[in-house]
C-alpha cells in the first residue's frame, strides 16, 4: 500500500481545527489552538541545545502564506547561527530607539531654549530668541521632522525677510543653525550637509549692495563743550545731568553709567573698573578717569547721605527710586 504524503496545513484545515493543541505545517511552524478556541502561530527551533518556542502572531492577523514566509526567514537566521527571537527583539528595540530620536523642529527649538535660557543674562533677549523662531521658522517647518529639513525649507524662512528685515533674518539664521547643531549632537539630525550654511549664505543677496546702514550722527569734537553746557542748563535733575556728562567724558554705554555703583571706582588711582557680569562681552573693563570725571564723582559723593551709604549704592540713581543695586 502506497504511503500517504503529508501536505501540512491548508487554509481550510486551519479554519476547521477546533480541538486545543498544536498542528504542524512542517519546518518548525505550528498552528496553536488554545482551550478557549483562539488560534495563533508558533515556530519551534533548537538553539544551543534548548528547545525554543517563538510566537508569530494571531491567525486573524496573519494568513497561512504570510506566516510561512516568516518561518522561512527564521530558518535562514538559524542556518547563520542567529537566534530569531533575539533578532526580533533587537529589531523592535531599534525601531523604538528610532521613534525616540524623532523630533520636529519646534520640539528641538523648545528643548534647546529651555536648556539654555538660564545662561542668558537678559530675559528679554531669551523671549525674543524663541519668539523670532515661532514667527518665522515654526510657520514654515515647525512640525517637520528636523532630519527632513533641507535648504529649500531654510531659504523659505530667510528669503522673504533677508532684505526688508536683515538684522532679524541674520539672528533667525544663527538660531536655526544652533538648533540644527544641537540636534546633530544628539543624533536627531543625521543628514546635514557640511556645506549647508555656506551654500545658504551664497544663495542669498549681498545686503550691503542693496541697502546702506543708517548711523546716528556723531557730535563733532568742537561742539562737545557746547553740548555739555546745554546739558547743564537743561533743567533735569542733578543725577541725570551729571550722568549724561559722565557718559560723554568716559565714552561709556548709557547702561554702564546708569548701573554704576561706588564699589567700582578707585578715586586714588582715577580708575573705573566695570566687572565682567555687567559687560556685554563678559570681560572686565577698566576706564581711566579724567579730572572732570573725578569731579563729577566727588559732587555725587557730597550729595550722598552718609548715614546709610553702602558700596552697592548707585552713583546716578533715578529720581525717586532706590539708590541700591541688590
Amino acid at each position: 500500500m502506497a504511503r500517504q504524503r503529508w501536505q501540512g496545513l491548508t487554509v481550510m484545515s486551519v479554519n476547521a481545527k477546533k480541538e486545543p493543541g498544536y498542528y504542524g505545517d512542517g519546518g518548525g511552524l505550528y498552528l496553536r489552538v488554545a482551550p478557549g478556541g483562539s488560534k495563533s502561530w508558533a515556530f519551534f527551533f533548537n538553539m544551543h541545545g534548548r528547545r525554543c518556542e517563538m510566537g508569530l502572531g494571531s491567525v486573524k492577523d496573519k494568513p497561512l502564506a504570510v506566516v510561512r514566509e516568516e518561518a522561512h526567514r527564521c530558518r535562514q537566521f538559524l542556518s547563520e547561527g542567529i537566534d530569531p527571537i533575539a533578532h526580533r527583539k533587537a529589531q523592535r528595540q531599534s525601531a523604538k530607539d528610532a521613534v525616540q530620536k524623532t523630533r520636529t523642529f519646534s520640539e528641538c527649538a523648545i528643548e534647546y531654549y529651555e536648556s539654555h535660557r538660564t545662561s542668558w543674562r537678559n530675559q528679554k533677549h531669551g523671549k525674543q530668541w524663541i519668539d523670532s523662531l515661532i514667527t518665522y521658522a515654526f510657520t514654515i517647518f515647525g512640525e517637520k521632522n528636523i532630519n527632513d529639513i533641507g535648504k529649500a525649507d531654510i531659504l523659505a524662512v530667510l528669503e522673504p525677510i533677508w532684505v526688508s528685515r536683515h538684522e532679524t533674518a541674520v539672528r533667525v539664521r544663527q538660531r536655526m543653525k544652533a538648533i540644527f547643531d544641537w540636534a546633530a549632537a544628539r543624533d536627531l539630525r543625521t543628514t546635514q550637509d557640511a556645506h549647508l550654511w555656506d551654500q545658504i549664505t551664497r544663495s542669498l543677496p549681498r545686503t550691503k549692495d542693496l541697502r546702506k546702514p543708517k548711523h546716528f550722527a556723531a557730535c563733532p569734537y568742537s561742539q562737545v563743550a557746547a553740548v555739555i553746557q546745554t546739558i547743564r542748563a537743561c533743567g533735569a535733575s542733578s543725577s541725570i545731568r551729571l550722568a549724561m556728562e559722565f557718559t560723554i567724558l568716559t565714552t561709556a554705554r548709557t547702561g554702564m553709567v546708569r548701573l554704576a555703583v561706588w564699589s567700582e571706582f578707585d578715586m586714588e588711582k582715577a580708575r573705573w573698573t566695570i566687572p565682567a557680569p555687567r559687560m556685554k562681552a563678559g570681560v572686565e573693563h577698566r576706564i581711566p578717569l579724567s579730572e572732570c570725571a573725578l569731579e563729577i564723582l566727588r559732587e555725587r559723593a557730597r550729595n550722598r547721605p552718609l548715614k546709610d551709604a553702602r558700596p552697592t549704592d548707585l552713583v546716578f540713581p533715578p529720581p525717586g527710586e532706590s539708590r541700591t543695586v541688590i
Side-chain angles (χ1 to χ4, degrees):
M1 181 177 177
R3 189 173 182 180
Q4 186 175 3
R5 184 181 178 185
W6 179 76
Q7 296 181 341
L9 298 170
T10 65
V11 174
M12 291 183 64
S13 66
V14 169
N15 294 331
K17 300 296 184 184
K18 303 297 182 184
E19 292 293 322
Y22 287 83
Y23 301 89
D25 184 62
L29 177 62
Y30 286 82
L31 168 68
R32 179 171 53 198
V33 180
S38 62
K39 299 177 182 179
S40 60
W41 302 106
F43 178 72
F44 285 88
F45 63 95
N46 292 315
M47 194 74 185
H48 305 304
R50 293 173 54 244
R51 181 72 169 167
C52 303
E53 179 181 351
M54 179 181 180
L56 298 180
S58 170
V59 170
K60 293 180 180 179
D61 300 328
K62 295 180 180 179
L64 180 60
V66 171
V67 83
R68 278 174 173 167
E69 287 294 326
E70 287 194 28
H72 176 67
R73 287 195 294 272
C74 289
R75 289 191 291 271
Q76 287 182 318
F77 288 137
L78 288 168
S79 67
E80 298 171 7
I82 300 172
D83 184 340
I85 296 177
H87 181 269
R88 184 172 65 182
K89 286 182 179 178
Q91 281 190 317
R92 289 175 176 174
Q93 185 61 46
S94 178
K96 182 179 179 180
D97 292 342
V99 170
Q100 290 177 343
K101 288 185 177 181
T102 299
R103 296 281 200 291
T104 64
F105 177 82
S106 60
E107 288 172 337
C108 289
I110 292 170
E111 285 189 50
Y112 180 95
Y113 170 70
E114 292 296 336
S115 64
H116 286 75
R117 63 188 304 181
T118 55
S119 64
W120 291 321
R121 292 180 296 172
N122 191 322
Q123 291 184 351
K124 182 180 178 182
H125 168 74
K127 187 175 186 306
Q128 290 174 339
W129 198 97
I130 193 65
D131 284 350
S132 65
L133 293 173
I134 292 173
T135 301
Y136 299 106
F138 283 22
T139 55
I140 302 298
F141 50 68
E143 297 308 309
K144 194 170 185 178
N145 186 332
I146 196 166
N147 209 40
D148 298 333
I149 297 171
K151 300 167 192 172
D153 299 307
I154 297 170
L155 287 172
V157 172
L158 297 176
E159 283 182 324
I161 59 173
W162 189 250
V163 175
S164 61
R165 307 195 66 180
H166 181 63
E167 291 300 323
T168 299
V170 170
R171 291 190 179 98
V172 169
R173 179 184 62 181
Q174 292 170 343
R175 291 160 189 173
M176 288 192 297
K177 182 179 184 303
I179 292 166
F180 288 148
D181 289 344
W182 177 90
R186 288 157 178 76
D187 292 331
L188 301 174
R189 182 172 172 86
T190 58
T191 60
Q192 183 161 298
D193 185 346
H195 304 290
L196 171 67
W197 296 104
D198 181 58
Q199 293 170 353
I200 291 291
T201 300
R202 290 177 181 275
S203 67
L204 294 166
R206 296 176 60 185
T207 54
K208 71 176 184 178
D209 297 334
L210 300 175
R211 54 187 294 184
K212 299 293 183 181
K214 295 181 180 180
H215 301 291
F216 290 107
C219 176
Y221 177 78
S222 60
Q223 298 178 20
V224 171
V227 170
I228 290 178
Q229 290 301 323
T230 302
I231 292 171
R232 290 175 178 176
C234 72
S237 70
S238 168
S239 179
I240 292 176
R241 285 187 285 105
L242 292 175
M244 293 176 67
E245 186 173 343
F246 192 78
T247 301
I248 294 172
L249 293 171
T250 58
T251 66
R253 294 177 181 270
T254 56
M256 294 157 59
V257 174
R258 285 189 301 103
L259 298 178
V261 295
W262 287 104
S263 59
E264 296 174 354
F265 294 93
D266 188 329
M267 303 293 283
E268 292 184 2
K269 295 181 179 179
R271 185 170 63 199
W272 178 19
T273 303
I274 306 174
R278 287 222 300 120
M279 294 300 299
K280 186 176 181 180
V283 179
E284 182 182 273
H285 183 54
R286 297 179 181 180
I287 299 176
L289 299 173
S290 65
E291 184 57 35
C292 291
L294 288 170
E295 183 54 37
I296 289 175
L297 293 176
R298 294 187 191 106
E299 182 175 344
R300 292 303 302 152
R302 286 192 293 269
N303 296 329
R304 176 172 166 237
L306 297 178
K307 61 180 180 179
D308 61 346
R310 286 176 287 185
T312 53
D313 279 354
L314 292 171
V315 178
F316 304 100
E321 295 188 20
S322 172
R323 297 187 307 278
T324 302
V325 175
I326 299 175

